[in-house]
Amino acid sequence: MRIKKFKTRLLLSMVVLSFLPILLVGLTSSILSERMIRKNYMQSQMTSLNMTDTAIETKVRGIVRSCRNILANETIMGSQEADAGYTLENRNLLEKEMQNIFFDNPDIESVFLLHNCEEIYIYSRKEKMSGVGQRFDFEEMQNQEWYQRAQAANGGEVFIGYDVINTQNTQSLSCVKLLRNLELDRQDEIEGVLIVNVEKNNMFRSLLEDEKTQSSYLIYEEAGETPVVVFEVTKEESDFSDLVIQEKSNASTGWRIVSRIGRQQLFGESENLRNSILGVAAGTGILMAVIFAILSNSLYRPLKHLEQTIIEATPEVAGGISAELMGNLEGRTYAKDEFGEIERRFWEMQVKNQELNERILEQQIAQKNSELRDLQAKINPHFLYNILDCIYWMIGMQKNEQAAKMVISLSRIMRNSLNQGKEVTTLKKEFTLLEDYLMLQSMRYEQRFTYEVSLEPELAEVPVLNLLLQPLLENSVMHGLEPKTSGGYVHVSGRYKAPWIEIRIVDNGVGMSKEQMDNPGYGIRNVRKRMELFYGEDGELKICSKEQVGTTVCVRIRWTGKEGEEHV
């Protein structure tokens, strides 16, 4: 639904423009802070995982070292020989050696040593020499997954994430090493298995003691098709529905160490910040609405006053407009607010002003035509007086034949100059009139000057103001050539130099002084005035003259008819 009132639109625009920047800045800040939190978390957790990995690696090396110490202990390994016997003295020696092993590595919980693949010897930190010399099903052991992994290690130690002897014991994990026969021709035979059980809490103490982080940790191994959880530390407030995970692999054991934290735990502060920003934006929007309501009223009052003033000032406009113009106005569409009303009133005044301007223009055109006719009427007597004076002089000199030719030429000139009452003629007729005029003046001055008239054929039908050029030619002959006793010359030419038609009248007469050029005679002033009224900026008249050298008069008229358009 479109809001019609400008005041309401202004108010809503102000509120939106103030609310949106706050909202955008808030959301952008929240997103950037969340990215920063995630980046910092990843960096800190990778550091923590590296430290955990280093701690586990240290524990692993200690356990491996303990395994090798057991295998290198002659008392422990020698007591298991077939002829050693199980005397009380042997048991005491074994207990002492195993206590030393347990003392050197507190992480070891128990040791299982399968001798000759038949009897298993159990040494426990909590119990003295439990299970010495017990029988064990070696064939069943060989079918276990952990045994196959140990066998694939080719004599190396393998860490299993659970207690391989007692799978119900979830608090321990095992380090397994297969004992091979040392004889060169029997090295492929397995003659025993060493299993060292380690308490998980001791093994991963560094994770248990890490209270600075909210992350939960998971250590698992990919054993078979189903991964086996080796160790897990879970924070009470952990939410695993949506996790951010960081992971690292331990090189010695192959275990995957995973750091986990819920998004809500990690980004809780960022989300609180975003909610706070939204609350601030909402409160700011309400506050801005109140402030802008006050401001919009102060802005709206002058506009309303302007609208009322225009309405009061133009109550009668529609009544003075023609039905056609009113129909055009009624066809226009306007906004349904204060600006629409002002626009409608404005266009009504524009139409009225257009009518008034058209009437004024018609009056100005009529006045200009009247001035042109008045100027043309003044030209004809002036031109006629000069020619009749020439004929009178011819008759007085008894040159009747020449006088007759002059009368005929004068008749043709008068007929062309009248032009059936029209203000516009063609360049061809204008140049014909100039040629007749030069013939008359040449006869009058008894061939004291020669003349040439040339017009480009394509300009013959170009419209031109009637009797525009004759006063200029007359001025050239009477004031430029008449003082010369002989050798006079005048050339009239018409050519096209887009977008102008150039008409030049060139003579080698006595020329004009600077004062004469600044204050030309009546004929030149008359032509210039007629060109201003008829052609405006599309007509030019220039005069170049030098005393005792000659004068060039150039008339330029803009014309595009050569390209197929009407001339101006």
Side-chain angles (χ1 to χ4, degrees), residues 59-70 105 157-159 175 177:
K59 297 283 188 180
V60 167
R61 286 198 295 269
I63 294 169
V64 170
R65 184 170 58 252
S66 296
C67 290
R68 294 177 181 176
N69 288 339
I70 292 173
N105 196 330
E157 292 81 0
V158 176
F159 283 82
C175 174
K177 179 180 178 63

Side-chain angles (χ1 to χ4, degrees), residues 328-494:
N328 292 336
L329 283 177
E330 291 174 357
R332 296 179 63 89
T333 57
Y334 305 97
K336 302 299 183 181
D337 56 11
E338 299 81 357
F339 287 110
E341 180 63 20
I342 293 174
E343 182 185 7
R344 186 180 68 82
R345 296 281 180 160
F346 172 78
W347 279 111
E348 289 178 353
M349 287 192 295
Q350 284 292 95
V351 172
K352 184 64 177 180
N353 289 337
Q354 183 179 354
E355 281 190 337
L356 294 175
N357 290 336
E358 289 177 354
R359 292 174 187 173
I360 293 172
L361 182 60
E362 290 175 358
Q363 293 174 359
Q364 290 177 343
I365 293 174
Q367 182 180 358
K368 185 182 76 170
N369 291 336
S370 176
E371 291 179 2
L372 283 172
R373 286 192 294 269
D374 181 62
L375 288 171
Q376 187 173 351
K378 292 179 181 179
I379 291 173
N380 292 334
H382 184 71
F383 170 68
L384 181 60
Y385 295 154
N386 285 305
I387 297 302
L388 289 176
D389 183 62
C390 292
I391 295 174
Y392 174 78
W393 179 83
M394 285 287 182
I395 294 174
M397 296 295 293
Q398 299 296 318
K399 297 181 179 181
N400 296 330
E401 183 177 351
Q402 293 180 357
K405 290 181 179 180
M406 292 181 69
V407 170
I408 293 173
S409 296
L410 176 60
S411 174
R412 188 162 53 241
I413 289 174
M414 293 302 296
R415 184 168 55 252
N416 288 335
S417 64
L418 291 174
N419 196 32
Q420 299 178 348
K422 299 178 181 177
E423 293 180 341
V424 178
T425 184
T426 63
L427 276 177
K428 180 180 180 180
K429 290 183 179 180
E430 189 74 1
F431 268 65
T432 299
L433 185 147
L434 296 180
E435 194 168 5
D436 286 335
Y437 174 80
L438 287 172
M439 188 272 293
L440 288 173
Q441 296 290 41
S442 177
M443 292 175 64
R444 174 188 175 189
Y445 293 110
E446 297 180 344
Q447 312 299 325
R448 285 162 54 185
F449 69 88
T450 58
Y451 63 88
E452 181 182 358
V453 178
S454 61
L455 176 67
E456 291 182 353
E458 59 266 30
L459 302 179
E461 300 302 320
V462 173
V464 66
L465 190 62
N466 192 33
L467 287 179
L468 178 67
L469 305 176
Q470 189 272 339
L472 302 175
L473 181 60
E474 181 179 357
N475 187 77
S476 179
V477 173
M478 299 298 293
H479 301 287
L481 297 178
E482 183 178 6
K484 294 175 70 74
T485 57
S486 63
Y489 174 79
V490 62
H491 180 205
V492 182
S493 64

Side-chain angles (χ1 to χ4, degrees), residues 72-101:
N73 191 300
E74 295 180 356
T75 301
I76 297 175
M77 299 305 295
S79 65
Q80 299 178 40
E81 296 296 332
D83 56 353
Y86 302 111
T87 65
L88 179 61
E89 182 180 358
N90 288 342
R91 289 176 61 88
N92 291 333
L93 289 174
L94 287 174
E95 285 181 6
K96 184 178 180 180
E97 294 298 330
M98 289 306 304
Q99 289 303 320
N100 290 335
I101 296 295

